[in-house]
Amino acid sequence: MVTHSELGEFLRVRRAALQPEDVGVLNYGIRRVPGLRREELAMLAGVSTTYYTRLEQGLSTNASEAVIGAIARALNLGNDERAHLFNLARPGKAKRRTPVKPDKVRPGTLRLIQSMSGTPAVVMGRRSEVLAWNALGHRLVAGHLDFAAPETPSTRPNMTRLLFLDHHTRELYTRWPEEARRAVASLRLLAGKSADDHELASLLGELTLKSQEFAKLWAKHPVENCMSGLKYMHHPEVGYLELNFEVLTPPDESGHRVLLYAADPGTPAAAAVQLLQGASEIEAAPRRTANKVHP
């Protein structure tokens, strides 16, 4: 999935986004395309134009860390973008394809989010598929879906797929373009790390075919590790919400992420979350009764 053409495309997009005055380059001549010329970027990075051109064209596959680092500095890349560039330039060796075992949430993680009855929580796999959620998390982000959907791999919702292809989810976010860019930026970072993830490639192909908006965003190569921030929502039950979010990553190599939402105390959003909590607890009561083991 990650090829040297991906590296070249990323370099071209980032080069086109830089103006000569942004990096102290004297602007001369008529520019047929936006951004820096290849020779200008090569000069800033301290490499020959021929070498940089071969790198953009995918013809050079052994660039040193020093060269990649110099190009990252010349392009004014942030930390996440720099890491992404290194992943594209120095991909790991392709692994033999083996059957993918269905992922599942760790029992301890499941107990943790279930104990957080007042905090909406969603556990996602490495491709943003929902592995589990607590009652309040389900009610907040996907109350129109079956609570038990994450338990079966074939019916698991995917947060990114929902964002682009599900109209209920689209209506949930009042700043949908911001949310969409954040999701694509996270996927770009993941794709750079996962050259042999065929399931991720399948998801990207589906979204590209079914959503023009996703395809346009994907072509812009946004890259960001979105670990915290604000989400702006209009929930069908409680109205407008402004919620903080934090993404917690377990210290193992599962790629799982725990997405937590919280409202500032004393705000209308905090009162709205309490209302949702009450509704979610009422809805969850029959499930708890059904799951009890009777003697």
Side-chain angles (χ1 to χ4, degrees), residues 36-202:
L36 291 180
R37 298 183 175 99
R38 282 175 176 169
E39 59 266 28
E40 292 168 339
L41 196 286
M43 178 191 67
L44 290 170
V47 300
S48 71
T49 302
T50 300
Y51 183 82
Y52 178 76
T53 299
R54 288 177 59 82
L55 196 63
E56 260 198 19
Q57 293 174 341
L59 301 176
S60 179
T61 60
N62 59 350
S64 67
E65 289 193 7
V67 168
I68 298 303
I71 291 173
R73 289 191 294 274
L75 290 170
N76 288 341
L77 299 185
N79 291 336
D80 294 337
E81 294 169 322
R82 187 177 187 276
H84 182 64
L85 176 60
F86 270 90
N87 286 331
L88 295 180
R90 311 295 293 274
K93 294 182 179 179
K95 300 177 183 178
R96 180 179 298 178
R97 187 171 183 179
T98 56
V100 178
K101 295 181 180 179
D103 204 355
K104 59 182 179 180
V105 64
R106 292 178 61 247
T109 304
L110 183 59
R111 287 193 295 270
L112 175 65
I113 66 168
Q114 288 176 340
S115 70
M116 304 167 66
S117 60
T119 301
V122 179
V123 182
M124 298 181 294
R126 64 173 66 249
R127 306 170 197 89
S128 298
E129 69 275 24
V130 178
L131 301 180
W133 41 29
N134 62 11
L136 187 51
H138 167 248
R139 192 86 177 196
L140 175 67
V141 301
H144 62 293
L145 301 180
D146 185 0
F147 178 84
E151 298 174 8
T152 305
S154 61
T155 61
R156 276 177 183 160
N158 181 286
M159 295 290 280
T160 307
R161 183 185 287 113
L162 288 174
L163 185 63
F164 283 93
L165 303 182
D166 179 75
H167 73 275
H168 292 284
T169 305
R170 188 183 185 108
E171 292 176 353
L172 178 64
Y173 296 98
T174 59
R175 298 188 183 183
W176 186 89
E178 177 182 314
E179 196 69 24
R181 186 198 176 280
R182 191 153 49 194
V184 172
S186 295
L187 271 186
R188 267 292 180 192
L189 191 61
L190 173 59
K193 299 176 182 178
S194 308
D196 58 346
D197 191 329
H198 298 279
E199 289 191 12
L200 178 58
S202 178

Side-chain angles (χ1 to χ4, degrees), residues 8 11 15 22 24 31 63 84 95 100 145 181 232 253 282:
L11 291 174
R15 178 168 58 83
D22 295 336
R31 295 180 180 267
H84 182 64
K95 300 177 183 178
V100 178
L145 301 180
R181 186 198 176 280
Y232 302 89
E253 297 182 357
I282 293 173

Side-chain angles (χ1 to χ4, degrees), residues 9 22 26 42 79 83 90 139 145 220 228 238 244 248 278 293:
E9 187 180 348
D22 295 336
L26 180 63
N79 291 336
R90 311 295 293 274
R139 192 86 177 196
L145 301 180
K220 293 180 179 179
S228 63
V238 294
N244 304 288
L248 307 182
V293 178

